[in-house]
Amino acid sequence: MLFAVTMDVEIPHDLDPEVREDLINREKSYCQDLQRKGTWVHIWRYAGQYANLSVFDVADHEELHRILWNLPLFPYLSIAVTPLAAHPSALDDTAGVAA
Ligand SMILES: O=C(O)CC1=CCC(=O)O1
């Protein structure tokens, strides 16, 4: 199942800089591990915003929830989830999408 997920990042300005750096480093490792597994299919920056648009390929809602809940930055994210379905005009056979 494919999901588009928007994450808006709002880290408090008064957070200890070392804590902030550690969180961001752990978020990057977590994200890149899931990319290597093929679960975190895309991550794009919204231009001009501290926010990303990501696409996840997961077995079910519970797997997506677990992944999002365990994001190191989770306490500082506003998250919106949109389920995706195949578009009939798409040329490519997009992974994970049933026709
Ligand atoms: O910077 C962001 O958009 C938050 C984030 C999610 C995964 C990652 O590495 O950073």
Side-chain angles (χ1 to χ4, degrees), residues 73-88:
L73 281 176
F74 183 80
Y76 307 112
L77 299 176
S78 297
I79 296 176
V81 175
T82 305
L84 299 176
H87 194 289

Side-chain angles (χ1 to χ4, degrees), residues 7 9 24 27-29 31-32 40 43 45 50-52 54 71 73 77:
M7 302 178 203
V9 187
I24 290 171
E27 183 86 1
K28 184 173 184 176
S29 297
C31 174
Q32 292 185 337
W40 198 320
I43 180 164
R45 181 65 80 208
Y50 194 3
N52 74 72
S54 292
L71 286 163
L73 281 176
L77 299 176

